[in-house]
Amino acid sequence: MSQYYISHAFKRTTGYSPMQYVIRRRIGEAQSYLFSTDKTVTEIAYIVGYNSASNFNNAFKKMVNMSPQRYREFWRNQP
């Protein structure tokens, strides 16, 4: 099977390209860490597979519509 075929089959099945799927999984894992740990945003970025905290912040903002730090503060202040 070609890489092209597998990529299209994956997108047909999941609704996401393989790369979009990986990014969504990484951001989802980061959300869990932000909610349940006191690790820094930079530490979480590296844990979920980003080599740059800046790239992580940009991807997180794009997906969640707020910065990782703001996300943490928002959920920590909920009753």
Side-chain angles (χ1 to χ4, degrees):
M1 287 188 206
S2 73
Q3 180 180 359
Y4 178 81
Y5 175 80
I6 292 170
S7 178
H8 278 75
F10 187 91
K11 186 166 184 172
R12 241 190 341 265
T13 303
T14 65
Y16 302 105
S17 72
M19 194 62 203
Q20 288 171 326
Y21 180 79
V22 169
I23 292 168
R24 291 179 72 81
R25 289 292 307 259
R26 285 178 174 176
I27 298 302
E29 188 71 18
Q31 287 174 300
S32 295
Y33 277 110
L34 288 164
F35 183 74
S36 64
T37 71
D38 289 325
K39 294 184 183 301
T40 67
V41 172
T42 301
E43 288 174 317
I44 293 169
Y46 290 113
I47 289 169
V48 299
Y50 284 87
N51 293 326
S52 160
S54 177
N55 288 342
F56 169 69
N57 279 314
N58 290 336
F60 194 96
K61 282 180 194 176
K62 187 175 180 180
M63 182 139 325
V64 183
N65 294 321
M66 66 176 76
S67 71
Q69 188 61 41
R70 187 161 176 249
Y71 178 87
R72 172 179 270 165
E73 291 166 3
F74 176 81
W75 286 108
R76 291 236 170 124
N77 292 327
Q78 295 300 311

